[in-house]
Structures are given as C-alpha cells and as structure tokens.
Amino acid sequence: MATATKQHRTNETVEETGAYICEAGKVQELTQGEKFPNCPVSGTATTWRHVNHTHQTGENVTESGEYQDADGQKITLEAGSTFPACPKTGQSTSWHHVS
C-alpha cells in the first residue's frame, strides 16, 4: 500500500477507509464513500490526512503534534514550521505523525 500524502477537505468524499487526522490533531476512523466531516474540535471546515502520511525535510508542517523520523527520533512540531533534518544524522529524512 502506498503511503498517502494527499490532503482532503471537509465535505470531500473519502476514497479509502482508514484513520484520518484533522488539522487539530484528532484522529477519526472514516469509511469509503462518507464525506470528510468538520473538525471535531472546532466544528468548522478543516483538512484531513491519512494517519500514515509522510513528510520530507523542508516541507511545511500543516498539523501540530509529535512526529517520528525514519530513525525513530521523535519531536514535537507546530503548524507553520518546517520539517527538519534528522536530529541524529543531520541528513534529509521522512517524518510521520505519531498517533
């Protein structure tokens, strides 16, 4: 299975059943064919990503929370910041949201 990187918006149709995380960091199970809901925290329109999404060093952080890199290093990042290089090696790496 390919790792999802696409961002989905409230009211778009869920293409793949699974766990998704909203901008506020809340995880919700969604079923194929359903519509992406409003944020469960704010009640307003939001964006959603599959929990297995990955990001690369240099990309913008769109969801605040704890992330883990390919080496297992964990850090907390705020939305609007940039994904850093690996803290251990200083090299570019991939990051995923820790649920």
Side-chain angles (χ1 to χ4, degrees), residues 31-47:
T31 303
Q32 182 180 12
E34 291 180 336
K35 298 286 185 183
F36 284 95
N38 283 334
C39 175
V41 175
S42 69
T44 60
T46 190
T47 57

Side-chain angles (χ1 to χ4, degrees), residues 4 11-13 16 19 27 32-33 39 44 54-55 59 62 73 82 84 89 97:
N11 292 323
E12 288 181 356
T13 302
E16 178 185 354
V27 175
Q32 182 180 12
C39 175
T44 60
T54 60
H55 301 277
E59 292 181 353
T62 57
Q73 303 292 311
T82 302
T89 66
H97 200 274

Side-chain angles (χ1 to χ4, degrees), residues 74-85:
K74 292 182 182 179
I75 60 172
T76 300
L77 297 170
E78 294 295 322
S81 62
T82 302
F83 284 97

Side-chain angles (χ1 to χ4, degrees), residues 19-96:
Y20 290 82
I21 189 166
C22 74
E23 288 179 89
K26 293 294 182 181
V27 175
Q28 191 167 331
E29 281 289 326
L30 299 172
T31 303
Q32 182 180 12
E34 291 180 336
K35 298 286 185 183
F36 284 95
N38 283 334
C39 175
V41 175
S42 69
T44 60
T46 190
T47 57
W48 293 87
R49 288 188 186 265
H50 199 279
V51 294
N52 292 329
H53 69 276
T54 60
H55 301 277
Q56 301 301 312
T57 297
E59 292 181 353
N60 288 329
V61 177
T62 57
E63 302 144 8
S64 297
E66 187 175 27
Y67 289 83
Q68 183 173 329
D69 74 359
D71 290 338
Q73 303 292 311
K74 292 182 182 179
I75 60 172
T76 300
L77 297 170
E78 294 295 322
S81 62
T82 302
F83 284 97
C86 175
K88 187 176 179 181
T89 66
Q91 301 295 312
S92 291
T93 191
S94 60
W95 294 92
H96 72 271

